[in-house]
Amino acid sequence: MKLTDEEVRHIALLARLGISDAEVEKFRNQLSNILENFDILSQADTEGLPPTAQSIALENIFRPDEAGPSLPVDDVLANAPDREENCFKVNAVLE
Amino acid sequence: MNDLHRLTIHESHTLLKEKKISSVELTRAVLKYLESIDGKIRACMRITAEQAMASAAAADKAIAEGRCSPLTGVPAIIKDNMCTRGITTTCGSKMLENFVPPYNAHVIEKLNSVNAVMVGKANMDEFAMGSSTENSAFFTTHNPWKLDCVPGGSSGGSAAAVAADACIYALGSDTGGSIRQPAGFCGVAGLKPTYGRVSRYGLVAFASSLDQIGPLAKDVTDAALIMNVISGHDKRDSTTVPLEVPDYTRALKIDIKGLKVGVPREYLVEGMQPAVRKAIETAAKKLAELGALVEWNVSLPNTRYGLAAYYILAPSEASANLARYDGVKYGYSYRETTSMWESMEKTKQFGFGAEVKRRIMLGTYALSAGYYDAYYLKAQKVRTLIKRDFDRAFEKYDVLVTPTSPTVAFQIGEKSDDPLQMYLSDICTLPINIAGVPAISIPAGFADGLPVGMQFIGKHFGEETLLRAAFAYEQATPWHKQKPVIA
């Protein structure tokens, strides 16, 4: 599987990962090489097999819907890059 | 008393309980040694001397009041991806360089509940992605046995600190070998528990269906003592199972007569170092001498797909988990723009290192429209195959024995430009995470002056059998008593 520059830029956009021209070239080569090695998976006979999402057969863990103590607002906002009153402050989402 | 830093947990506990030493004395000795040596090893992201001395004083008070459990007052180093309230937790990344968690991880609460003492946070590969600590955004840790070699990774700081006697024990995390591979490279005991045994609440998420926290210790007894404290159900991690936690020290019996041990041939891989193969073969013979029934020609036929399946599943999960680093709530944030999208993209571009970006890209690709079935879904089906290999093997064998890595520790810089070569370093450890079973690495000899790790693999929640086998081997061999001379 050889990736193109356009595909690399598309993947970066899907991940919202900024990427320099030098990185496009580097990742194109490295990811192509890695994916080529992963072609081995096509040799595995998985006909009719269910996928495994996690290894322990636990499912649907419920808990009572009860209010409990939460972290104080100031503690939660202490790491915020920017805040205004009790909110995280970000650039305008809608112009 | 000299050299208190060289003690194990069980030795420290005896002295603390008999009031022959105090936790303040022990902690001071450990800090003094750690500070004297960390310029060479660089195991610690930060040393938390002030908090450690306060914890030690509190531990001494608890001991005076008769509350002295095995970890009480005993100094530990914690991998820097476990949240510690009020103490910076970087996860080895520029992204979290200044992140001060507002709460403690579950395992930290557990340690605090028995008055353990944390002396530092350990260096690691960024977001636990790596096998050498060379992906740390800050610096590389050195192997105490040979300073120009890597300590392994991603829990390389934790393993190096334990090997160098710069702490009494450490906690690490293991997604594809990140406890066991560095334990092997540094010659200490490292246990990855069964998926669901230890809560990951407060562990910075990497790949949630694979991550586990576990001990790095100077011997198997210490690993069991740590497991007694950190294991158990936690409602804040719904993947933890509500099973009783046994007293793991009860498994430490030097009796493996009749224990059925399988040696899977696929793990004695092509390209592995002859000296590593020889050490593992000698070790398996030792197990037979001790009374185990060793079967040499066990097959786990789908092992060959492990690497590819892992490097699709883990990056896919990582690409979802790491989407949270958007520069809004915490962490590094690029703000030199008025555009929300540009801010988000540049936050990730400048906040993440090369390996993290590579895995986000790989995972995003494997999950993207048109490739999901061929990569992600296929890898999940291969996961079923690999898991069934282990299920079948454990119908016949109590434990499986393999090398922990195909080589001993490699040189710093040797593989850092070749991601695929680096990934191969985990070829013997990552199938274990795929299957969710527990495994421990303990030292099994030396090659070129560097430790060789042997991995015991058990069935789900079979930690007791693992510990029993590892303990019997350890007590019959000199390896765990050998210590590096740090030049």
Side-chain angles (χ1 to χ4, degrees):
Chain A
M1 187 71 208
K2 279 258 181 269
L3 294 179
T4 63
D5 283 1
E6 290 65 40
E7 283 171 311
V8 171
R9 287 185 200 282
H10 175 66
I11 301 164
L13 180 68
L14 289 176
R16 287 289 172 189
L17 176 65
I19 190 167
S20 69
D21 291 345
E23 283 175 318
V24 169
E25 187 178 339
K26 189 174 82 174
F27 286 143
R28 190 193 66 220
N29 292 328
Q30 290 179 339
L31 295 176
S32 297
N33 183 25
I34 291 167
L35 289 168
E36 262 167 40
N37 275 274
F38 290 179
D39 281 345
I40 186 176
L41 285 184
S42 61
Q43 296 168 24
D45 180 7
T46 54
E47 190 66 41
L49 274 187
T52 296
Q54 62 111 318
S55 49
I56 303 291
L58 279 179
E59 39 189 85
N60 295 348
I61 306 295
F62 294 101
R63 63 169 173 78
D65 184 19
E66 286 165 359
S70 297
L71 288 170
V73 170
D74 277 334
D75 286 10
V76 172
L77 286 167
N79 283 292
D82 201 1
R83 70 182 278 188
E84 195 169 302
E85 295 174 5
N86 281 349
C87 298
F88 295 103
K89 193 174 175 187
V90 295
N91 287 324
V93 178
L94 301 171
E95 301 296 332
Chain B
M1 199 172 293
N2 291 324
D3 286 353
L4 290 179
H5 58 278
R6 299 205 184 279
L7 296 173
T8 61
I9 296 172
H10 52 96
E11 290 163 350
S12 308
H13 176 60
T14 304
L15 293 171
L16 287 164
K17 203 172 168 184
E18 292 172 355
K19 313 238 169 35
K20 293 201 169 123
I21 57 168
S22 67
S23 174
V24 165
E25 279 174 81
L26 175 61
T27 303
R28 193 174 286 141
V30 165
L31 281 168
K32 191 177 162 202
Y33 188 71
L34 172 61
E35 281 162 355
S36 75
I37 206 161
D38 207 39
K40 287 177 183 160
I41 308 287
R42 309 222 65 193
C44 278
M45 202 67 88
R46 71 196 64 244
I47 296 171
T48 52
E50 203 177 308
Q51 295 95 331
M53 291 314 296
S55 303
D60 282 334
K61 190 159 171 284
I63 293 168
E65 289 164 2
R67 286 177 288 121
C68 187
S69 69
L71 301 191
T72 305
V74 181
I77 284 177
I78 308 296
K79 188 176 184 180
D80 209 23
N81 59 351
M82 296 174 214
C83 285
T84 42
R85 190 172 63 213
I87 298 170
T88 307
T89 299
T90 68
C91 208
S93 182
K94 288 264 177 234
M95 190 62 91
L96 293 175
E97 189 170 9
N98 301 307
F99 175 64
V100 182
Y103 64 94
N104 279 322
H106 180 78
V107 289
I108 302 296
E109 289 178 350
K110 287 276 197 177
L111 293 182
N112 287 346
S113 74
V114 295
N115 286 102
V117 175
M118 183 180 84
V119 290
K121 300 291 297 279
N123 191 32
M124 56 183 285
D125 288 295
E126 183 177 11
F127 282 96
M129 298 176 188
S131 312
S132 69
T133 73
E134 289 166 293
N135 294 335
S136 167
F138 305 104
F139 50 85
T140 297
T141 299
H142 298 260
N143 191 309
W145 291 91
K146 262 189 199 172
L147 293 176
D148 58 352
C149 287
V150 303
S154 66
S155 310
S158 299
V162 173
D165 279 325
C167 60
I168 308 298
Y169 69 97
L171 291 186
S173 67
D174 189 315
T175 304
S178 279
I179 289 173
R180 292 159 288 151
Q181 186 257 20
F185 278 13
C186 291
V188 301
L191 172 66
K192 184 205 85 78
T194 308
Y195 186 77
R197 182 76 284 190
V198 178
S199 168
R200 291 93 47 85
Y201 176 77
L203 172 73
V204 179
F206 162 13
S208 303
S209 83
L210 304 160
D211 299 337
Q212 265 294 288
I213 292 171
L216 290 119
K218 295 181 189 177
D219 62 20
V220 175
T221 304
D222 280 7
L225 290 168
I226 299 161
M227 284 299 291
N228 279 354
V229 174
I230 63 173
S231 303
H233 180 251
D234 172 20
K235 65 180 182 191
R236 297 166 302 185
D237 177 353
S238 58
T239 64
T240 53
V241 286
L243 279 179
E244 270 309 285
V245 177
D247 175 359
Y248 288 108
T249 61
R250 296 178 64 121
L252 306 175
K253 299 189 195 110
I254 310 182
D255 176 17
I256 53 168
K257 279 198 189 64
L259 189 80
K260 285 174 273 179
V261 176
V263 185
R265 61 171 178 260
E266 290 85 1
Y267 283 72
L268 300 170
V269 289
E270 254 178 79
M272 80 183 291
Q273 253 171 350
V276 171
R277 174 191 291 264
K278 190 154 175 287
I280 299 307
E281 285 171 353
T282 308
K285 280 179 198 146
K286 186 81 196 172
L287 291 170
E289 263 173 52
L290 296 169
L293 305 170
V294 179
E295 169 63 51
W296 286 90
N297 209 9
V298 178
S299 178
L300 301 172
N302 295 295
T303 303
R304 56 199 290 257
Y305 305 123
L307 185 85
Y310 177 87
Y311 277 100
I312 289 167
L313 296 172
S316 295
E317 294 184 26
S319 76
N321 272 329
L322 271 60
R324 75 189 68 186
Y325 299 99
D326 52 12
V328 172
K329 299 179 293 299
Y330 49 84
Y332 169 76
S333 183
Y334 180 86
R335 294 268 161 157
E336 323 290 309
T337 171
T338 54
S339 153
M340 183 198 68
W341 289 120
E342 192 189 357
S343 169
M344 194 181 289
E345 285 164 5
K346 294 221 161 124
T347 292
K348 290 167 195 272
Q349 182 174 0
F350 302 138
F352 290 137
E355 181 62 27
V356 174
K357 290 184 200 178
R358 199 149 42 231
R359 296 207 196 178
I360 290 173
M361 297 282 288
L362 197 54
T364 303
Y365 180 74
L367 292 172
S368 66
Y371 298 101
Y372 180 92
D373 284 3
Y375 287 102
Y376 185 69
L377 190 63
K378 181 75 182 181
Q380 280 196 317
K381 288 179 178 173
V382 169
R383 187 173 192 178
T384 306
L385 283 177
I386 291 170
K387 189 164 174 284
R388 287 182 182 178
D389 274 0
F390 282 104
D391 290 346
R392 259 193 298 275
F394 288 124
E395 284 169 12
K396 288 174 82 175
Y397 307 102
D398 299 310
V399 290
L400 302 172
V401 166
T402 76
T404 305
S405 309
T407 69
V408 293
F410 46 88
Q411 298 262 316
I412 292 172
E414 189 182 327
K415 301 185 183 193
S416 48
D417 288 334
D418 188 343
L420 207 57
Q421 277 307 309
M422 191 69 94
Y423 297 170
L424 281 166
S425 163
D426 293 329
I427 190 130
C428 301
T429 47
L430 36 87
I432 283 74
N433 301 71
I434 292 175
V437 292
I440 187 170
S441 175
I442 59 167
F446 288 83
D448 307 329
L450 286 162
V452 174
M454 169 163 65
Q455 176 174 246
F456 292 82
I457 310 164
K459 60 183 82 167
H460 287 129
F461 302 101
E463 279 85 351
E464 288 160 287
T465 311
L466 278 188
L467 290 165
R468 181 176 148 218
F471 182 70
Y473 176 79
E474 174 191 83
Q475 294 300 308
T477 52
W479 315 122
H480 68 293
K481 299 273 189 202
Q482 304 202 14
K483 299 287 181 174
V485 177
I486 295 155

